[in-house]
Each structure stands twice: as structure tokens, then as C-alpha cells.
Amino acid sequence: MTATGRQSEDIPAHAFAADLIAVLVAVTAGRPRVMTIDHGAALPSGPFAHDERSLQSGLRTWVERQTGHRLGYVEQLYTFADRDRATNGVRVISISYLALTRENREEAGKSGWLDWYSYFPWEDHRSGAPRHLPDIVARLRAWTKAATVPAQRHDRLRRVAISFGLDGRPWNEELILQRYELLYEAALVAEASRGRRGADAPLVSGQSMAFDHRRILATGIARLRAKIKYRPVVFELMPPSFTLLELQHAVEALAGRLVHKQNFRRLIEQQELVEETGAMAAATGGRPAKLFRFRREVVDERAVIGTKLPLTRA
Amino acid sequence: MTATGRQSEDIPAHAFAADLIAVLVAVTAGRPRVMTIDHGAALPSGPFAHDERSLQSGLRTWVERQTGHRLGYVEQLYTFADRDRATNGVRVISISYLALTRENREEAGKSGWLDWYSYFPWEDHRSGAPRHLPDIVARLRAWTKAATVPAQRHDRLRRVAISFGLDGRPWNEELILQRYELLYEAALVAEASRGRRGADAPLVSGQSMAFDHRRILATGIARLRAKIKYRPVVFELMPPSFTLLELQHAVEALAGRLVHKQNFRRLIEQQELVEETGAMAAATGGRPAKLFRFRREVVDERAVIGTKLPLTRA
DNA sequence: TGATATATACTCACATTGAGTATAATATCA
DNA sequence: TGATATTATACTCAATGTGAGTATATATCA
């Protein structure tokens, strides 16, 4: 990946290549999954064709052809054109997208759908704070102490404390990108020491990805975690009918946190986001649950699913 | 596939040009201003140079050179590559940005700084609903009736009602883009009939712009109106010291709505976003006001300026 | 039968928010 | 000089929203 950036005489100054990168998300059996290629080493990406009508349609046709999934929701994430994004001297502009699709139980096992927490194990707080989180924090603390100037040290300490919810601060699941960036700066993830040498600090657990794809994934997760709080996008990930507990589990999978069951139902019902199908779920243990469907009519009415999700404290 | 290596030697197949477009905002004397070129006919834009480090740095250097302003805050808006964005057969990718800068009283009059409400007169509700708003709504209603199928007619009616706060619905200042798009679809803005002929419905007041620049401006305003509610970005538009009323006026200029003065102050103070400078403002009428400065340290702490702004009802 | 698991209804304390009243401190002008 | 306008700032209050918990209903399974 040597980016010479040298523009030869024959390449016009405005020659760029355009790439689309997708963070394609589904929730299967209560687990948040992301579509990957190359055995989980990269996000699916491909060139933006010259004959496509628009970026969005380019992404749609390409992803739908490749995965056989209809995309429910598509949203632009970010556009990069950093100098190291170049191949054969042609500089690449990468436009990343977040796309949501319905789960597909037949495909659940195979293909490239991976639990996104295998890339960010420290982000799953559904069973309390992960066991290795104290160790991560300890190593970040060590890194803050290695700062050269006191001001820098102070700044690092503050960022770590905010991002990881230290000193009585609450854990904020939306800060996933900030946490990843701290780990990157502290060279605790494999991507950070790529290309360099000697930097062999023991790494934090969690699978890495090629290029900056793990960073893009973090961006997508952050956007989604923020969005479910004020837009009814969870439903794009649900099957046509579902129980309220299944819906809750989907939200919890995305947020990486547990929500208060009774208050969650209150929220959903008072927003009139769903309606009963009349049928009941095949019993899965206790009292049978009603099946609901999403009231799609309500999408543009309800800008908000609720200012906040009813999270549980502990 | 980026991950698996690009094998094409033929550069022309993916030759794109890259353009940066800026929605550069300032607030001068309580008026929201946007930087324009060509006597207000377009947003400033320029090619992304091959030798720039990144998109963001490209935008910064270019805007700062062109306007002499230091950019306080920069945020990516959206990337377009629609087929009609082509020059000499070279397809153009446009990356739009929102950028905030401090007011500059010397420049207030000259240069291309224009009140953004000259492009969206119906968006300024600081002195109540604009006089011509009923007329706009009436013309949109007429357009809904012109729908061919009943379902379409119903859909249009609903969108108009939501976007313009009809039937008891509240006015939502963040829906500026949706409102503009409705006016575009109804061919009530000049841009809509460009290139076509015969479509000479009487237009709604408000200056138009070249290309889709007015749409990009609406996107930027929408983003900013949403952002001031949960991030302390207003301060990027303020001088180093200011009174609370000046701060309030800036917020009102952006939101296009009045806020409740006492509650606004309560919000600002309880969030500890500002501190007294010790000095007082040169009296401008009544009791002299304390001067405040923004506590920049607090930026990453306070993710939120308050879940909502304390708007006034009437 | 009772242990267990889920569904669902309701209560309650507390914080937040929208709105308004009251009072203080200055400038302006008749 | 004193009335009036204008802005600043401190409080109060009702309504609503939010976090948390209790209670009860309806299943399965040992």
C-alpha cells in the first residue's frame, strides 16, 4: 500500500476512482451481525460504476446482487479520500454506507455474517461489563502515563475517563468510535502497528480488519446506536411479525445494553409504533406472547421513537 | 473488490472528478448568513486537489484561503454523484460540507455573506408564521389535488401536513429539507422547471440557486438546526465573549424560532457551558448584562446541550 | 402440584420541561 | 426628576416524562 501520490503526465489531475463500502447489518437470533468478506477480514466493497444512476442506487444493486438481500434502509456514513487510499497511483474516494436488512435464518450459519462483537468484545454490556474491560482500562491508563507533556497526559486521561465511563460517569454505548480510536492511538489494536515495526504491545482481544474497515464498522455501529433512539429503524431488522420481547432483544443486541422491559413496552405502545396481528407466538417457555407488526404508515409521523431508550441502570 | 485488489489498468473506466461544496455559516448581528459566490447564485465550491492530505484538509485550506476565515467547525454533509453532475463527460463526485465560522463585523456588508432566509423566507418564524405561508400551503394543497391516483394524493396530503405543521401538528423547524422538496416537486421553486418548458406555475418567493445548491443549503441548515439541540456548536459562531441574550439571539436565528428566555438561561447555566468573564456588556438599553465566555473544556464532556431547546409555543 | 419462565398491568418517586410571575438594574425622555 | 422602557435574573408551579419496582396472569415442564 505505498501511496506515491505522484501524478504522471497522462493522468489528469481530476482522476479519482470511487469505491463503495457497506456496513450491512442484520440481527439474527438476538445477535447483531455484519456482512463481511474474506473470512471476516474486510467489509464488502466494490467500485462505483460509471453507468449507475446515483451512489445510493449503485450500492443497492451491487449489495442486493451480491447478497440476495433486499436492503430495507440505507444511509450514507462518511466519505474518505485520504492519501493512503490509492492503488496504482490512482487516488480512491471511498463512500461508506450503513445498510439494514432482515434476518435470513437459512443463511444464519454460512456466508459472511459475523457477530459484530467479535470485532468489539468490549462493547457488549448485556451481561454486565465484559470481564476483560478492567484490563483494557488499565492498559489505557498506562498509555496515558506515557504521554510526553503533562497537558497531553491530562487530555488522554480525560478522554479515557469519558469514553469508558470512569470516575462515576455512565457508560455511553454511542462512544464506540471514540473508544476504538483511543485503543488505536494506544496501539492496542493490530491495525495500529501495521506497517510500523517494533510496536508489539500486547493487543486487546477482538478480531481486526483490513485497511480501516474496523473503524468504518465502528462508525456504522455508532450511527445505528444513536439512531434507534429517535427513529424507528429497528423494525427494518425485524421479520414481518414479532413479539415485543423479540423486538426488545433486537434493540438490546444493537445497543449492547439491557433495557427495562416494562418501560420499553410502554414506550412502544404509547408511540403507536406497532399493532397486533391477532396471532400468538409459538410458545417459547412461559405465557404466550402476542405477535405484532410494524405500522409502517407511522414512519414519517413519528420522528421520534422516544427521546431516550429506557435503559436499565445496572 | 478493494480487499481483493483492483485489477483494472484502464483508468478511464473509473475516472471521476471530485468537487468540494461548502455551506459556510456565520451569524452576524442576529442574522444567519451563508457564504455565496456569483451574487448569491451559488455556494462556494472548488475541485479537490490531488495533493491534499484529506477531504477535510482540502476544504479547510481552500475555504480559508478564499474567505480569510478560520473555520471553527467542519462536518461532512453528503456526497453526491448523480448522473447529471458531469462536465465534459467526466462524472463529478461532490462532497458537501457544513462549516461554521465566527462573525466578522468588518465584512458584514460586503462579500458574499447573505441572510439564508432570503433563500427560504418561509423558514423564519421568529416573528410568528410568515405572512405568505398560508398562500404557500394553499398552493401545495392545490398540487395534492392534481395527483393522478388517490393513493398518491393521500400521500402528498400527509407529507404536506407533516412538513408544514397542519391539522394541529406542531411546526418542526428541522423539516426544512422536506419542505423544500415538496415545493420542488410541486414546481413552486424556480429550480424545478429549469431545463423543462411550459412549467410556468407562479413561483413561491425566495431566491433560487444554481444546480442543486439550494437543496444542499437546506441540508446544511437542517443539520445545523438539529445539531444545536444536542451539541454546543452555537459557540463556534459566537465572538470570544458575549451576553446570554446575544447567545439566545444566535440560537433563534439558526432555529428560526423564539426560545423562552428564562428557561434558556437555566439550560445554559445548569449545563455549565459558560463562565463569566467578569466584564459587563456596553449597555444597549436596559440593565447591563454580564459577559460570558464558552468553557471549551466542557465540549467532549457535555454530549448534550439539552435534549431539546426551550422553545416557546406561540 | 409447584417451580419456572414469560407477559402484561399498574404504581410511585423524581427529574425535566414549558410557562409564567416577580423583582432588579440600567437608559431614555418628557 | 420621575415615569417609562428595556433588559437581566431569580423563583414558582403544573404537566409530563423517565427509571424503577410490585403485582398478577398464563403458559411449560419436572
Side-chain angles (χ1 to χ4, degrees), chain B residues 230-303:
Chain B
Y230 61 96
R231 279 282 169 100
V233 287
V234 214
F235 299 101
E236 306 291 346
L237 301 162
M238 303 297 296
S241 78
F242 48 84
T243 70
L244 291 184
L245 188 59
E246 284 166 352
L247 182 65
Q248 179 183 342
H249 284 331
V251 168
E252 290 174 335
L254 301 179
R257 318 188 56 171
L258 297 180
V259 307
H260 184 112
K261 186 197 266 197
Q262 298 92 318
N263 292 347
F264 179 74
R265 300 167 105 96
R266 174 173 69 185
L267 189 71
I268 298 295
E269 279 162 14
Q270 96 197 152
Q271 299 268 154
E272 296 179 290
L273 289 167
V274 299
E275 62 191 1
E276 301 182 10
T277 66
M280 302 292 274
T284 58
R287 170 176 170 178
K290 291 175 187 165
L291 282 172
F292 292 85
R293 78 170 68 88
F294 179 43
R295 294 183 59 222
R296 195 160 284 278
E297 326 88 78
V298 107
V299 171
D300 359 50
E301 298 269 352
R302 300 276 170 280

Side-chain angles (χ1 to χ4, degrees), chain A residues 265-278:
Chain A
R265 299 168 105 96
R266 173 174 68 186
L267 189 71
I268 299 296
E269 277 162 17
Q270 96 196 152
Q271 298 270 152
E272 296 179 289
L273 289 168
V274 297
E275 62 192 1
E276 301 181 12
T277 65

Side-chain angles (χ1 to χ4, degrees), chain A:
Chain A
M1 285 272 82
T2 46
T4 54
R6 269 263 162 267
Q7 52 196 73
S8 69
E9 303 303 310
D10 25 346
I11 302 174
H14 51 257
F16 291 90
D19 254 12
L20 299 173
I21 305 181
V23 176
L24 179 56
V25 175
V27 175
T28 329
R31 319 192 80 188
R33 309 218 186 236
V34 61
M35 179 61 141
T36 62
I37 59 169
D38 240 351
H39 302 285
L43 293 171
S45 70
F48 172 60
H50 229 229
D51 57 336
E52 280 291 351
R53 198 162 36 81
S54 68
L55 287 171
Q56 187 123 332
S57 76
L59 184 89
R60 280 202 118 95
T61 56
W62 160 65
V63 170
E64 289 178 1
R65 179 156 30 84
Q66 189 166 356
T67 69
H69 285 74
R70 212 186 57 80
L71 293 186
Y73 177 85
V74 172
E75 170 180 326
Q76 219 177 71
L77 276 178
Y78 204 77
T79 302
F80 312 84
D82 299 336
R83 211 185 269 140
D84 55 345
R85 289 186 170 272
T87 325
N88 304 335
V90 177
R91 197 154 170 180
V92 181
I93 296 180
S94 300
I95 303 117
S96 58
Y97 276 85
L98 170 66
L100 307 182
T101 187
R102 295 241 151 70
E103 65 175 329
N104 192 333
R105 291 196 178 270
E106 300 95 68
E107 287 200 20
K110 47 174 191 157
S111 70
W113 288 107
L114 292 186
D115 188 326
W116 76 30
Y117 292 118
S118 57
Y119 299 100
F120 304 100
W122 57 88
E123 291 290 339
D124 188 359
H125 287 230
R126 285 176 292 178
S127 324
R131 277 181 303 103
H132 41 288
L133 195 52
D135 176 57
I136 293 178
V137 171
R139 289 207 243 166
L140 282 169
R141 274 195 206 280
W143 167 71
T144 65
K145 279 170 193 150
T148 45
V149 256
Q152 186 188 36
R153 182 190 158 152
H154 203 265
D155 184 63
R156 287 182 178 181
L157 260 175
R158 198 176 41 80
R159 287 169 60 209
V160 171
I162 293 169
S163 301
F164 285 84
L166 309 181
D167 312 329
R169 271 174 266 245
W171 174 264
N172 185 344
E173 70 281 356
E174 291 181 33
L175 300 181
I176 168 169
L177 181 58
Q178 286 84 332
R179 284 187 284 268
Y180 175 75
E181 286 185 335
L182 279 171
L183 292 172
Y184 190 102
E185 282 184 59
L188 294 175
V189 292
E191 295 91 324
S193 37
R194 225 166 17 215
R196 305 183 209 165
R197 61 158 113 209
D200 41 23
L203 301 177
V204 138
S205 72
Q207 200 182 330
S208 70
M209 291 184 121
F211 313 110
D212 52 357
H213 283 198
R214 205 180 180 187
R215 193 183 187 284
I216 295 174
L217 176 55
T219 307
I221 297 174
R223 186 84 129 249
L224 188 50
R225 282 183 168 180
K227 202 119 199 175
I228 51 173
K229 288 178 186 163
Y230 61 96
R231 280 281 169 101
V233 286
V234 214
F235 299 100
E236 306 291 346
L237 300 163
M238 302 298 294
S241 78
F242 47 84
T243 69
L244 291 184
L245 189 58
E246 285 166 352
L247 182 65
Q248 179 183 343
H249 284 331
V251 169
E252 291 175 334
L254 301 179
R257 317 188 57 170
L258 298 180
V259 307
H260 190 275
K261 184 197 266 196
Q262 298 93 317
N263 291 347
F264 178 74
R265 299 168 105 96
R266 173 174 68 186
L267 189 71
I268 299 296
E269 277 162 17
Q270 96 196 152
Q271 298 270 152
E272 296 179 289
L273 289 168
V274 297
E275 62 192 1
E276 301 181 12
T277 65
M280 302 291 274
T284 58
R287 171 176 170 178
K290 290 175 187 163
L291 282 173
F292 292 85
R293 78 169 69 88
F294 179 44
R295 294 184 59 222
R296 195 160 284 278
E297 325 90 78
V298 106
V299 170
D300 1 48
E301 298 268 353
R302 301 273 171 282
V304 207
I305 186 184
T307 55
K308 282 182 188 171
L309 284 177
L311 297 174
T312 47
R313 206 167 272 171

